[in-house]
Amino acid sequence: MGRLRNLLMGLALATCTAATAAPPAAAQGVMRDRLVIISSTSAGTVARMLAASFTERFEGVMEPTRRTLPTSGVLDLFCAGVGPQTPDIAVVVRRMPRSMVETCDTNGVRNIVEMRIGLSAVLLAVRRGEGTTNLTSRQVWEALAAERIVDEEFVPNRRALWSEVSPALPRIEIRVLAPNLGTGTNGLFEDMILEGGCRDVRAIRLLFEAQYRRGKCVTVREDGRVQRMGGLEVPAALLASPPGTVGVISYDQLQASGGNLVALTLDGVLPTQGSIYAQDYVATRIVYVYAKRQHTRLREGVGVVRGIREFLNEATSEAASGPGGYLSVTGLVPLPPADRAAQRRTADRMTLLSR
């Protein structure tokens, strides 16, 4: 509760500062002059790009206030209550569980709009013509983690070859190209592959503090085996890298390579459009947008701010989340056509969540 209180206080300070910066809007009776958007780390780039396009597209709107938090913190903050000191919109890669819907209801957040804007998938790729090794998330974590476990103790990871991770893997050097920290694709890589690969490791499960456990899962080695760069640079760098190099890329980048890059099977499933749609591929998440209809100005409820419907329309537009939309650079895989149309109707009508 103390952590949530601190988050609310910080958010209230930010929104109050933003509101006082625009006297004309306040004079018109608007309780807040801009949207407040919170997002999970994995969805941070999606939220940032949507906010930027929303600001450019709709004349006279103020740039939204944004904040990035762990997924659980996003939903806690979203459901903490209604009013100008609380956020309007949440962007996450995990559906709000029923227990959180009940928490929202208890705190007065009862008119929630839920939308799906696409699927995020991160994959491992090599150049065409190289061996397409089948990997598991556990093997990827064991190869890339800053520390390995020996006799229940954490020691620096010095493995140089994939065959040192498992005799079934080839005797080639571990070389991985990964997006910079803080990018959407890297966030998905951490959440879905690295953390997924270590969650069942006994020594990790015995760690009491959740944040410490996550650190052991997602902190990668800094001895040159993992090379960081801009996410858009990874495909070209991979094509120019020594044989056996593995790149962390989005599904859209795989398609854009024209067949020059080939995805690796992960945990027994090859990432294809079909396996991503069906969520059979483990490193896949649906990107959700949640909004408080109670905050919509000139609508029922407290009417905190204008622009919520416009933001939802932007998020579900073909220009954003359709095939070739600008969100594709974040690794977003569009929903099928009928699903995209359904989400646009939800945005336009602000249909309430019911489950």
Side-chain angles (χ1 to χ4, degrees):
M1 287 299 293
R3 177 173 172 270
L4 179 58
R5 189 180 301 111
N6 290 337
L7 289 173
L8 282 168
M9 289 177 63
L11 188 59
L13 178 61
T15 55
C16 287
T17 301
T20 56
Q28 296 170 11
V30 180
M31 295 178 68
R32 194 165 3 89
D33 71 329
R34 68 191 70 203
L35 294 174
V36 173
I37 302 168
I38 54 175
S39 65
S40 63
T41 304
S42 299
T45 304
V46 170
R48 176 178 57 79
M49 295 185 72
L50 285 174
S53 183
F54 164 78
T55 305
E56 293 173 1
R57 182 176 175 183
F58 295 97
E59 184 178 354
V61 302
M62 304 291 290
E63 181 179 357
T65 297
R66 291 188 302 106
R67 187 164 186 180
T68 302
L69 302 163
T71 298
S72 59
V74 171
L75 296 179
D76 284 343
L77 194 56
F78 182 83
C79 289
V82 294
Q85 77 281 6
T86 65
D88 310 303
I89 293 170
V91 185
V92 292
V93 291
R94 191 172 304 157
R95 194 180 190 197
M96 185 184 293
R98 182 176 295 276
S99 60
M100 188 57 67
V101 175
E102 293 170 354
T103 298
C104 269
D105 186 73
T106 299
N107 293 332
V109 185
R110 300 189 177 98
N111 292 346
I112 303 172
V113 180
E114 177 190 74
M115 300 186 323
R116 296 175 291 121
I117 62 171
L119 299 104
S120 282
V122 61
L123 49 92
L124 306 175
V126 297
R127 292 182 302 186
R128 182 178 59 187
E130 296 188 10
T132 53
T133 303
N134 298 333
L135 291 171
T136 66
S137 297
R138 174 72 174 266
Q139 289 169 342
V140 175
W141 175 72
E142 290 186 351
L144 305 187
E147 296 177 313
R148 58 180 297 200
I149 300 168
V150 178
D151 297 328
E152 302 298 320
E153 297 289 334
F154 290 95
V155 300
N157 187 0
R158 305 296 187 200
R159 293 184 177 104
L161 306 174
W162 284 102
S163 56
E164 294 176 42
V165 175
S166 168
L169 297 178
R171 188 178 174 79
I172 57 176
E173 285 197 48
I174 298 170
R175 295 192 190 92
V176 175
L177 307 181
N180 288 327
L181 297 174
T183 61
T185 302
N186 185 70
L188 294 170
F189 177 59
E190 291 181 349
D191 290 351
M192 302 178 190
I193 299 181
L194 293 180
E195 195 163 8
C198 83
R199 68 165 54 100
D200 293 327
V201 177
R202 183 175 182 273
I204 297 291
R205 287 190 287 107
L206 290 176
L207 298 175
F208 179 75
E209 186 180 346
Q211 197 61 33
Y212 188 50
R213 286 197 304 272
R214 177 174 169 81
K216 292 295 186 183
C217 289
V218 304
T219 303
V220 301
R221 53 203 300 181
E222 297 182 351
D223 57 0
R225 296 292 171 187
V226 180
Q227 183 179 351
R228 295 285 186 183
M229 61 188 64
L232 297 178
E233 301 171 17
V234 174
L238 183 56
L239 291 172
S241 294
T245 303
V246 176
V248 178
I249 63 173
S250 69
Y251 182 72
D252 183 71
Q253 289 175 315
L254 177 73
Q255 290 183 306
S257 75
N260 290 313
L261 300 179
V262 179
L264 301 182
T265 296
L266 184 67
D267 295 325
V269 179
L270 182 68
T272 64
Q273 191 170 69
S275 64
I276 291 171
Y277 278 158
Q279 295 186 72
D280 293 331
Y281 178 63
V282 67
T284 301
R285 290 289 186 275
I286 297 176
V287 180
Y288 287 92
V289 175
Y290 290 96
K292 295 176 183 174
R293 198 169 81 174
Q294 289 160 290
H295 277 200
T296 304
R297 186 67 175 173
L298 302 181
R299 286 275 176 173
E300 62 185 69
V302 294
V304 170
V305 68
R306 290 189 174 96
I308 293 179
R309 175 183 278 104
E310 289 79 3
F311 183 89
L312 299 185
N313 286 335
E314 175 64 23
T316 56
S317 69
E318 290 291 280
S321 52
Y326 61 78
L327 291 179
S328 63
V329 301
T330 70
L332 193 80
V333 177
L335 297 170
D339 287 352
R340 296 200 306 274
Q343 299 308 305
R344 286 195 296 273
R345 289 193 296 271
T346 296
D348 189 57
R349 300 171 184 172
M350 298 196 76
T351 306
L352 296 181
L353 168 67
S354 59
R355 59 182 167 99

